[in-house]
Amino acid sequence: KAAGGGRWTWFDPIMDRLADDDARLAADLRQALVRDQLFLVYQPIVELPHGRLTGVEALVRWRHPEHGLVPPGVFVPLAERNGHIVELGRWVLENAVAQAARWERELGPAAPDKVSVNVSARQLGEPGFPAETAALLSGAGVAPSRITVEVTETAVLGTGTALQAVRELAAQGLTIALDDFGTGQSSLSLLVDCPVGWLKVDKSFVDGVTSDSPQAVIVDSLIGITEGLRMQAVAEGVETAEQAERLHRAGYRFAQGYHFAKPMHADDVELLIAAQEDFSPYLRM
Ligand code: C2E
Ligand code: MG
Ligand code: MG
Ligand code: MG
């Protein structure tokens, strides 16, 4: 219910039925693309320890005419299975890039440094994807260095085309983020073969960071790997001040999570930036 938020009312049994009713929902999704039912929200990626916004991640939302907000955890995998993901992904990329251009125009140096976009396995495997992305960016007048492409380990390992696409995107100057790191078909050789800029350490590891747990050991160790390989570590799903503080002490410079900010509409990102600018002398101390 929370406007634009990342929270869902899971107690609603309709969601269970939705998840089962693939065919129906797939047809609805095709309509969603032409009927303007999709929109993007943006979650701040912040610098530790003060929480100043450095970038944002674009996250897609679907306002279904009968069912209300359908979570991307339901419709993205569905679109991935039936092939609509290519069209959906293109829509997301176009809109996120257009928003990046708008922010740059309207906010100048205060604009988010980078806008992250999630790209699915299927999209990455489309032969024309890197070239299409390059054309889109130059058409919008957005520098490749301002866009981060978030991919999962599993997506990159899926096909040779996917790995090749990631290399081409990186060569064009986009940042590659390995999303949900540690939860896919993790292979450290991916960090050797693939030009990774950011390692987004999955929430399931961050959850355990304040306890004496294997997750905490992994979170700590990943800093050594990312520093040695000149990557940035980004902690995902930070929900408490204790976690943020512990991550900062472990050497994390970047984080994302409800403790700092939930996904929000583009207008609210601007309000947040304006509020932070007012306090910037303090934030920079
Ligand atoms: P993700 O890319 O790992 O995105 C982060 C997800 O974690 C988002 O969920 C975000 O709202 C949620 N999150 C962030 N901070 C916290 C926190 O502190 N606590 C908790 N519990 N959750 C947090 P969302 O928006 O529901 O997206 C879920 C997944 O759906 C994304 O995971 C991504 O894999 C996929 N997705 C979302 N938008 C797109 C898109 O445009 N294209 C593609 N291909 N996938 C997308
Ligand atoms: Mg992501
Ligand atoms: Mg993620
Ligand atoms: Mg995730």
Side-chain angles (χ1 to χ4, degrees):
K1 298 265 165 68
R7 274 201 172 155
W8 311 101
T9 46
W10 281 106
F11 53 82
D12 188 348
I14 195 104
M15 297 314 297
D16 292 332
R17 269 183 282 141
L18 272 178
D20 293 334
D21 198 358
D22 265 31
R24 173 72 205 291
L25 204 59
D28 290 354
L29 187 54
R30 203 171 319 120
Q31 292 299 309
L33 280 157
V34 293
R35 294 208 178 142
D36 239 24
Q37 293 165 9
L38 299 178
F39 62 101
L40 294 179
V41 288
Y42 298 87
Q43 186 178 30
I45 298 171
V46 305
E47 270 183 81
L48 293 173
H50 39 66
R52 187 185 172 81
L53 182 147
T54 170
V56 293
E57 176 176 5
L59 296 159
V60 67
R61 297 289 179 260
W62 178 13
R63 197 184 304 286
H64 190 286
E66 293 148 53
H67 307 307
L69 283 176
V70 182
V74 173
F75 72 88
V76 168
L78 171 70
E80 179 89 31
R81 284 195 296 279
N82 68 19
H84 289 330
I85 192 69
V86 175
E87 212 181 324
L88 177 86
R90 191 176 297 131
W91 184 91
V92 168
L93 192 61
E94 278 172 10
N95 281 271
V97 167
Q99 183 60 63
R102 215 171 299 134
W103 275 328
E104 213 174 320
R105 223 171 27 243
E106 289 168 11
L107 304 178
D113 290 338
K114 287 179 193 290
V115 176
S116 273
V117 182
N118 293 282
V119 171
S120 77
R122 193 95 165 227
Q123 237 183 316
L124 209 55
E126 283 283 294
F129 182 68
E132 254 179 53
T133 304
L136 175 66
L137 290 176
S138 72
V142 171
S145 62
R146 299 198 80 126
I147 303 295
T148 298
V149 167
E150 298 202 3
V151 297
T152 61
E153 300 151 294
T154 311
V156 181
L157 291 170
T159 62
T161 325
L163 182 57
Q164 189 50 38
V166 161
R167 288 186 176 141
E168 282 175 39
L169 292 165
Q172 286 168 23
L174 287 90
T175 300
I176 306 298
L178 268 191
D179 206 356
D180 304 334
F181 186 76
T183 61
Q185 296 160 328
S186 294
S187 157
L188 291 176
S189 62
L190 193 57
L191 302 183
V192 177
D193 297 337
C194 181
V196 178
W198 294 0
L199 212 62
K200 298 194 78 176
V201 180
D202 192 66
K203 180 178 187 305
S204 56
F205 297 98
V206 170
D207 284 342
V209 81
T210 52
S211 60
D212 181 7
S213 66
Q215 285 85 347
V217 175
I218 291 171
V219 164
D220 286 342
S221 309
L222 285 173
I223 280 297
I225 293 181
T226 53
E227 282 182 0
L229 297 177
R230 295 171 189 278
M231 298 171 184
Q232 287 291 357
V234 182
E236 291 195 284
V238 179
E239 292 186 339
T240 68
E242 291 72 27
Q243 289 171 348
E245 202 264 334
R246 174 67 175 73
L247 288 160
H248 178 59
R249 268 195 288 128
Y252 282 74
R253 255 190 76 200
F254 298 104
Q256 191 176 352
Y258 294 172
H259 171 63
F260 296 104
K262 290 191 172 170
M264 58 183 84
H265 294 288
D267 293 353
D268 293 320
V269 172
E270 288 166 34
L271 291 177
L272 183 65
I273 290 171
Q276 291 194 343
E277 287 291 297
D278 286 344
F279 283 96
S280 58
Y282 308 101
L283 286 171
R284 290 202 184 104
M285 281 194 329

